[in-house]
Amino acid sequence: MAHKRSPLRLVPEAAPQPAAPQAPRRLGAVELVPGRVRAAVLSMAGRILDRTESSYDAATATPADIDTALAGAAGVFTGHELQGIGVAAAGLVDPVTGLIMEVNDAPGLHGYPVTERLGALTGASVRVEHRARLQVLGDRWFGAGRGRRTFASVSTGEVLGVGILYDGEVMAPPGGRSGAHMTVSASGERCTCGNRGCWKTVATTGWLRARARAVGLGGETSLEALVHRGDALAGRVVEEYAQNLALGLVNVQQLFAPGLFILHGEAREGGERFRTVVEERLRDAVAFSGAEQPRVLVGTAAVDDVALLGGAGLVVSHL
């Protein structure tokens, strides 16, 4: 029996479909300090694309209150493909367990499991480090420290600290100290940590307000307002503040000779005279003739953004 052959049908090959566009990779950063939580989404180049902020009462907040503030700030991460989140935290932290161990000005943060809480909120990988250690990473990857293997990054204002990069390595134990509690005056004021004469007692916004009030300039006077007053009394307070800031940095210069000091935060309001006073004091402290002459730069990022850049830098450092 003859078999009828079915005609051959040529099925047109399906046209290749364009690949679905991939969501751009982003970095997450959080700053957690007494009374405030800031969060930001950054590009891989360190540009802040979106940000938010929430607050809580540092003196009375419970861990549940801090959970609420953290959740409010973490909403900024919704819809982004994060490579991770870096948390810049005040106080003593344990990067291995993800705990904030102790914060003198915020009892509710003692033992707070920030990486666990934030990971549950976002589903992202979360790392935490001390704020001062992270600010130097922010400058290393995205700021004025790019291309240098040794420099110091200084946070000024309500929160004081210095991060040091020395020959490419951050010089502090993990979760380590910011330098705010180094002793600069053995008979100085009592600090919140219980010791006397800490750098923090003479080189923060709290000292500046108290000093302005003591000399009759008003208790709420900011560094910017004092600079703009232009009178001799305000000028002396501004110069004293700069000298106090330099007290702690001289110790850093003696130990590490970083060559470059990048000032962030309130120091931006001090103007060129403030910067010059700090730089001249550091140059006076150069221990030997072959050392690099210290330079002082003022950060160009918005006030305190160095902590957020540092959080992003922590993620980049582990990618």
Side-chain angles (χ1 to χ4, degrees):
M1 179 183 294
H3 293 279
K4 185 182 287 186
R5 178 176 289 178
S6 299
L8 181 64
R9 295 186 196 172
L10 296 177
V11 179
E13 194 174 303
Q17 297 298 311
Q22 290 187 336
R25 298 190 303 164
R26 301 299 189 213
L27 304 170
V30 169
E31 179 189 21
L32 179 54
V33 296
R36 186 180 71 190
V37 184
R38 301 171 71 213
V41 177
L42 298 91
S43 72
M44 295 298 291
R47 183 166 63 90
I48 293 180
L49 306 171
D50 198 4
R51 69 170 81 214
T52 190
E53 182 173 326
S54 60
S55 61
Y56 61 96
D57 188 306
T60 64
T62 65
D65 296 327
I66 298 168
D67 286 346
T68 300
L70 190 65
V76 76
F77 301 130
T78 302
H80 292 285
E81 184 179 318
L82 298 178
Q83 300 302 294
I85 301 173
V87 180
L92 184 64
V93 308
D94 185 342
V96 176
T97 62
L99 300 178
I100 299 176
M101 304 301 293
E102 183 180 353
V103 184
N104 292 323
D105 299 324
L109 283 173
H110 291 195
Y112 186 73
V114 63
T115 59
E116 176 188 321
R117 295 285 199 272
L118 195 54
L121 287 168
T122 64
S125 171
V126 182
R127 298 177 184 273
V128 62
E129 251 296 1
H130 190 279
R131 191 179 186 278
R133 283 175 59 88
L134 289 196
Q135 70 185 38
V136 79
L137 286 180
D139 276 324
R140 178 189 191 182
W141 290 108
F142 310 119
R146 283 177 294 186
R148 287 189 62 98
R149 292 186 60 79
T150 300
F151 69 92
S153 180
V154 187
S155 181
T156 66
E158 298 285 356
V159 177
L160 177 67
V162 57
I164 303 160
L165 190 76
Y166 186 80
D167 197 22
E169 297 291 334
V170 179
M171 294 301 294
R177 307 292 182 169
S178 68
H181 296 284
M182 69 173 85
T183 301
V184 295
S185 174
S187 58
E189 296 292 326
R190 182 77 68 182
C191 182
T192 54
C193 72
N195 293 325
R196 287 192 177 276
C198 294
W199 187 29
K200 174 183 174 181
T201 64
V202 296
T204 59
T205 305
W207 176 89
L208 183 67
R209 285 195 294 260
R211 185 62 172 158
R213 183 170 55 249
V215 300
L217 292 172
E220 295 304 318
T221 303
S222 66
L223 179 57
E224 184 177 27
L226 289 171
V227 169
H228 287 158
R229 279 177 67 109
D231 59 77
L233 183 57
R236 285 197 294 272
V237 173
V238 170
E239 181 150 344
E240 187 178 358
Y241 190 30
Q243 292 284 0
N244 289 351
L245 179 62
L247 277 177
L249 299 182
V250 162
N251 293 325
V252 174
Q253 172 62 29
Q254 291 286 339
L255 287 170
F256 301 105
L260 177 65
F261 292 79
I262 306 168
L263 306 185
H264 294 280
E266 187 174 53
R268 296 182 69 215
E269 303 170 4
E272 179 60 16
R273 177 58 185 159
F274 188 92
R275 186 203 68 80
T276 300
V277 169
V278 177
E279 185 175 84
E280 289 176 348
R281 181 66 185 88
L282 288 170
R283 292 191 172 192
D284 289 343
V286 173
F288 57 94
S289 59
E292 180 182 356
Q293 284 292 303
R295 290 184 300 127
V296 174
L297 299 180
V298 178
T300 57
V303 175
D304 287 337
D305 273 354
V306 66
L308 296 174
L309 293 175
L314 179 63
V315 177
V316 170
S317 296
H318 285 87
L319 287 178

